Amino acid sequence: MPPTTSSPPPCTSPTSSLSITETVNGSHKFTIQGYSLAKGIGVGKHIASETFTVGGYQWAIYFYPDGKNPEDHSAYVSVFIALASEGTDVRALFELTLIDQSGKGKHKVHSHFDRSLESGPYTLKYRGSMWGYKRFFRRAMLETSDFLKDDCLKIHCTVGVVVSAIDCSRLHSIKVPESDIGDHFGMLLENEDCSDIIFNVQGQRFHAHKLVLVARSPVFESELLDAMEEDKSEIVISDIEPKVFKALLHFIYKDDLIEDEELSAFSSTSVISVFDTLTAKLLEAADRYDLPRLRLMCEAVLCEDIAVSTVAKILALADRYHAMDLKSVCLKFAAENLVAVVQSDGFEYLKENCPLLQSELLKTVAGCEEDVSGDGKSRSVWGQLSDGGGDTNDRSVRQPWESGGERSQNLWAQPENGNGRSPPRQED
């Protein structure tokens, strides 16, 4: 009789998992204005870009006008990408592109993305680790090429941080659309349905709803309670422009900024003052009616207009209306571009009207100097062009040169002073 064989026990449904290794990519555009002035800073000394974030890490582009390698005797310029934040064994792919500014598209590209690497992606062991080229381009050839135009170089950098994860996403999902409550409240405002209060703003009437205003603004709550006690159905406002009040109501009902060309009409080359822009007036209204989210939205718009020629007045505006985030950005920008800012018309306004802000700016400058580390890996605010030249309307005036040593002169001094001392503070 043949031996009997037992059947295997029944199996439950098999499980599975998927490991995915990929790159999280990000790019940064670095413009070097005033290349001829950057030459001569010394072998091994570099100009650094602003830091940018890719894959949860901070990165920076280092450009060495006189080269990184002493043996090359400044015959080449060097370009590197550096890990600017804390991290160990960060694996990444890189691409460096020197832009051809003739329009022919003949860029100089060094890339890991379009080829396989024998040993895999590069590993950066610690903060300050770099990848790049000591002999990125022969300097004599660069200075007669289409890569240099109007004394300006443009470098594009792409970083791909390698990440691995287990994909446990569901096979099916239901997408929930974005909230449309703002649209519904917006229609309530536009149609004037069930409105129970009228605002007379310099002769223009706006219908609104007490409950909505009370829920959004503690200042409106106080004003409307007073109006109810006096049995008022119309409130007169004479110190706000109708277009500003309209934008204010739009935010209160829809929780976003009104679509208006004036919100983005101002620029560093505009003939109008920043104080006269719709954004500035809306920032004032946000402060008056205690609307912190609207204030922050206005700060974000004004932040886009920060330049050497505008930063002083935007700083004054931020201080006046308690826009702390915008004020912090202005102080940092002004400190990093101190030479050019001191020569601007806006700085004269600051001296005459906001002497305390000058003291805050000086403290910020001192703080930036203290942040410079002895190993030369951090950017020094004092490493700016000593003659303060350049286009005062250009956001990229700051030249963050890394010298690793002491500054050559006191950049707080005004050009006409000439004695290295801080300009005298105006007495009230």
Side-chain angles (χ1 to χ4, degrees), residues 172-325:
H172 305 285
S173 62
I174 298 175
K175 181 175 176 60
V176 178
E178 296 292 330
S179 172
D180 58 357
I181 189 172
D183 295 332
H184 289 288
F185 273 89
M187 288 187 288
L188 192 67
L189 176 65
E190 293 170 8
N191 298 333
E192 302 178 0
D193 293 337
C194 305
S195 63
D196 55 4
I197 188 70
I198 296 174
F199 291 92
N200 187 326
V201 183
Q202 297 184 7
Q204 188 169 336
R205 292 155 62 90
F206 295 90
H207 294 257
H209 307 79
K210 294 177 183 177
L211 282 177
V212 177
L213 300 177
V214 167
R216 296 285 274 161
S217 165
V219 178
F220 269 125
E221 179 181 11
S222 177
E223 290 183 358
L224 291 174
L225 286 176
D226 292 342
M228 284 189 283
E229 290 178 0
E230 300 174 10
D231 197 24
K232 287 184 179 179
S233 60
E234 182 169 320
I235 297 177
V236 177
I237 299 177
S238 58
D239 54 352
I240 296 181
E241 296 179 30
K243 65 180 180 180
V244 178
F245 195 79
K246 179 181 178 181
L248 178 70
L249 288 179
H250 179 95
F251 167 79
I252 288 175
Y253 279 78
K254 303 194 69 172
D255 201 44
D256 63 11
L257 292 177
I258 193 170
E259 294 184 3
D260 193 302
E261 292 182 359
E262 288 192 46
L263 280 175
S264 56
F266 180 74
S267 70
S268 59
T269 57
S270 177
V271 294
I272 66 171
S273 169
V274 64
F275 299 121
D276 297 326
T277 63
L278 177 57
T279 308
K281 295 173 182 177
L282 195 54
L283 177 65
E284 178 184 2
D287 184 61
R288 170 174 173 173
Y289 288 102
D290 195 8
L291 296 166
R293 178 170 166 80
L294 177 59
R295 180 194 289 120
L296 197 59
M297 287 180 170
C298 294
E299 289 182 66
V301 174
L302 289 167
C303 186
E304 294 297 317
D305 291 319
I306 292 175
V308 165
S309 60
T310 62
V311 65
K313 289 187 177 180
I314 294 178
L315 174 59
L317 196 68
D319 182 67
R320 184 183 305 168
Y321 299 123
H322 309 99
M324 294 298 102
D325 289 339

